[in-house]
């Protein structure tokens, strides 16, 4: 599962959306919502692929339950060595954080013409 903020929606998330032909607009950096997608949706005898892309809005959550006997992990921003184990029976709930990332842009200096 890939879950992305608007700040992160220009990289891997954007590539997946283009590859799958998804036309829904991804969150912008200022949006208070997340997008999620199943990394490799593969239907099997026990699973389907009905829910493989969507959004988490303010006040909502997505709950994931691991079915991996071992080797399941959760990591952020592509830094796989900094992970949490996520094995069979463990649950994680993802919501929108109270604190936001703020982009600081230097002020432009205006020079008056003489």
């Amino acid at each position: 599962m890939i879950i992305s903020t608007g700040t992160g929606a220009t990289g891997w998330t954007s590539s997946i959306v283009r590859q799958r032909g998804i036309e829904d607009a991804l969150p912008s950096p200022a949006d208070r919502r997340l997008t999620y997608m199943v990394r490799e949706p593969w239907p099997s005898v026990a699973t389907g692929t009905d829910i493989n892309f969507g959004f988490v809005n303010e006040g909502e959550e997505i709950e994931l339950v691991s079915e991996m006997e071992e080797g399941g992990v959760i990591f952020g921003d592509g830094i796989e060595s900094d992970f949490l184990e996520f094995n069979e029976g463990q649950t994680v709930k993802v919501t929108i954080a109270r604190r936001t990332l703020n982009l600081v842009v230097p002020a432009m200096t205006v020079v008056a013409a003489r």
Side-chain angles (χ1 to χ4, degrees):
M1 175 78 70
I2 287 89
I3 300 174
S4 179
T5 64
T7 305
T10 59
W12 195 7
T13 304
S14 179
S15 296
I16 294 169
V17 166
R18 280 194 312 273
Q19 184 271 330
R20 293 187 188 173
I22 296 170
E23 296 183 9
D24 297 75
L26 293 176
S28 73
D31 287 345
R32 301 274 302 147
R33 68 182 184 141
L34 306 170
T35 186
Y36 65 86
M37 55 205 65
V38 175
R39 182 176 171 203
E40 297 172 9
W42 184 259
S44 72
V45 175
T47 65
T49 57
D50 294 337
I51 302 173
N52 63 54
F53 173 83
F55 298 98
V56 178
N57 296 301
E58 188 90 47
E60 298 176 344
E61 67 182 20
I62 186 168
E63 181 177 271
L64 305 171
V65 179
S66 178
E67 294 182 357
M68 294 188 66
E69 289 183 25
E70 58 184 41
V73 296
I74 297 172
F75 64 92
D77 203 20
I79 304 171
E80 197 168 346
S81 62
D82 184 17
F83 68 90
L84 301 171
E85 288 189 14
F86 189 54
N87 295 315
E88 188 171 25
Q90 292 181 306
T91 301
V92 64
K93 293 180 182 181
V94 179
T95 63
I96 297 177
R98 290 187 196 123
R99 291 178 45 189
T100 61
L101 177 66
N102 295 304
L103 177 62
V104 178
V105 179
M108 292 183 61
T109 303
V110 178
V111 179
R114 292 182 192 229

